[in-house]
Amino acid sequence: MTVSPPPAPAPPTAPGSVLTARHPLVDGHTADAPLLAAYRGRRPAHRPVWFMRQAGRSLPEYREVRRGIGMLESCLMPDLAAEITLQPVRRHGVDAAILFSDIVVPLKLAGVDVQIVAGTGPVVASPIRTAADVAALPPLDPDALAPVAAEAAAVVAELGSTPLIGFAGAPFTLASYLVEGGPSKDHRRTKTLMHAAPDVWHALAAWVADVTGSFLRAQVLAGASAVQVFDSWAGGLSRPDYQRFVAGHSAAVFAAVADLDVPRVHFGVGTGELLTAMRDVGADVVGIDHRVPLDVASERLGGAVPIQGNIDPALLFAGRDALHAHTLDVIRRGASAPGHVLNLGHGVPPDTDPDVLTELVEFIHAQPSA
Ligand code: CP3
């Protein structure tokens, strides 16, 4: 019989915190970050801004280091992924880094055969559609998350006072990739599963919530100071279907990091009708896409919830004057919420001129704070 050695002693935790004393929120590095102040409903001296998909194809330095390396492969190479995470922070001076990874990474780490096909998105080799398919889904071995934690730790070691945002996909968006086998416009097979075989749907969504919640928690324990949960495709659901089939599973993901006391952002596309429902699953901040003006969004949220958004990505191509006018309008409308973090209404388009983003950050930082 082999006797396994005793586990290495855990680093000391700060009093009252599950986070270790080395976590940037505990050691003070990110404690005064404008991003976190705004996420907590305050108005910091300078207005925080970051961009969804800020790390990626719009940057020549990204295309250079990714050459010949597959997307998911690069997410699991901690030093390379950390470098990619830091590139937009260095170049644009944004107020946050977001971990370079993908929402399907924890599915891959659990053993699902998934690839990211350029120009298409995630493609799953054997779609999950029956009770037997769900029952055969493997549990995620926590040790498999080691490369993700290593990447986050490497990023945080370089970031100083700039916070790292961890992220995960929400159960609906991830399950829809698993059921459809790839991107889908109408999510027909997913909705069919929900309504025709609700037990199978709930078992699948619970499995996804567990896996994606572990992915999120690993990032915070390794140093992320905030998290964002992407339910990118939830806008395809009616509010009753969201409540009945999705909300409980999304709540489980938010609950997976509730004790860590980091701000939790919830974002979806086309989710104007779901904003309060998406807050109610446990979000501290709601991300708004470019379809709903921020004053309208804030009113829907009772004027009580910090918000993030929502510069229309198309305006990045409209010239400086139009972009500045639109950005000032976003800032003015965002002033009705208790806290506002500037962002795009969805991700940076790959063909964006990076200099436009750098200049936009400078413009936002130059605006007097309310
Ligand atoms: O900078 C960041 O925002 C952090 C990195 C990040 C990526 N994906 C990197 C990525 C984040 C937060 C994501 C989340 C993600 N992935 C979402 C939610 C956000 C959203 O856009 O609504 C979704 C739906 C996915 C699934 C996915 N992965 C899609 C639809 C695609 C695009 C496919 C394509 O080629 O058009 C990906 C690939 C992906 N994820 C890329 C990047 C930088 C591009 C791949 C490449 O560079 O080759």
Side-chain angles (χ1 to χ4, degrees):
M1 195 180 90
T2 52
V3 179
S4 50
T13 55
S17 172
V18 187
L19 303 175
T20 69
R22 287 199 302 265
H23 191 284
L25 276 175
V26 178
D27 74 14
H29 273 93
T30 58
D32 298 321
L35 178 91
L36 302 181
Y39 278 164
R40 295 198 163 109
R42 298 197 294 272
R43 296 256 163 209
H46 100 206
R47 214 174 248 103
V49 54
W50 66 278
F51 303 115
M52 292 184 276
R53 293 273 172 95
Q54 64 189 17
R57 284 172 293 183
S58 66
L59 300 185
E61 58 269 37
Y62 168 79
R63 296 193 295 267
E64 176 67 33
V65 297
R66 267 287 316 280
R67 199 174 293 161
I69 305 175
M71 171 62 197
L72 291 179
E73 199 187 337
S74 67
C75 294
L76 297 173
M77 298 168 68
D79 291 342
L80 174 63
E83 165 61 23
I84 294 172
T85 304
L86 292 163
Q87 285 176 345
V89 182
R90 291 190 201 114
R91 185 191 262 263
H92 302 311
V94 280
D95 293 276
I98 180 158
L99 196 79
F100 179 76
S101 191
D102 194 84
I103 57 170
V104 300
V105 163
L107 304 181
K108 185 178 169 65
L109 293 176
V112 173
D113 185 346
V114 56
Q115 288 181 38
I116 291 184
V117 177
T120 300
V123 174
V124 176
S126 308
I128 309 296
R129 294 177 184 159
T130 66
D133 293 339
V134 176
L137 285 167
L140 173 60
D141 174 358
D143 291 346
L145 289 165
V148 175
E151 176 194 353
V155 170
V156 167
E158 296 287 321
L159 272 176
S161 60
T162 302
L164 172 68
I165 300 173
F167 76 92
F172 172 73
T173 291
L174 279 171
S176 89
Y177 283 116
L178 289 172
V179 176
E180 308 288 340
S184 158
K185 284 204 168 60
D186 58 8
H187 310 289
R188 190 183 302 174
R189 288 180 186 276
T190 313
K191 292 183 183 183
T192 297
L193 186 67
M194 284 174 171
H195 286 271
D199 292 353
V200 177
W201 162 258
H202 282 298
L204 172 60
W207 180 84
V208 173
D210 188 50
V211 165
T212 201
S214 301
F215 176 61
L216 197 58
R217 189 174 176 88
Q219 295 168 61
V220 179
L221 292 177
S225 293
V227 294
Q228 177 157 321
V229 177
F230 288 87
D231 210 351
S232 299
W233 314 140
L237 293 168
S238 70
R239 193 176 173 100
D241 277 2
Y242 182 86
Q243 300 286 23
R244 182 170 161 209
F245 295 112
V246 172
H249 301 292
S250 291
V253 177
F254 282 85
V257 291
D259 60 322
L260 304 181
D261 203 25
V262 292
R264 294 166 295 173
V265 186
H266 202 182
F267 170 77
V269 180
T271 43
E273 298 297 327
L274 300 176
L275 296 181
T276 53
M278 289 177 69
R279 171 201 59 199
D280 290 345
V281 299
D284 306 300
V285 179
V286 178
I288 314 291
D289 85 350
H290 45 283
R291 292 163 186 83
V292 186
L294 291 186
D295 49 338
V296 175
S298 183
E299 198 184 324
R300 288 183 187 174
L301 292 162
V305 181
I307 53 177
Q308 177 173 278
N310 70 349
I311 295 167
D312 188 335
L315 270 284
L316 297 171
F317 302 85
R320 183 185 292 217
D321 291 352
L323 178 59
H324 285 185
H326 174 61
T327 301
L328 289 176
D329 187 56
V330 168
I331 288 174
R332 188 177 57 76
R333 292 176 188 275
S336 56
H340 178 205
V341 171
L342 270 288
N343 204 315
L344 302 177
H346 199 181
V348 173
D351 52 345
T352 304
D353 175 354
D355 291 344
V356 170
L357 295 174
T358 307
E359 199 274 337
L360 181 57
V361 172
E362 282 168 13
F363 179 73
I364 290 166
H365 284 165
Q367 299 311 308
S369 189

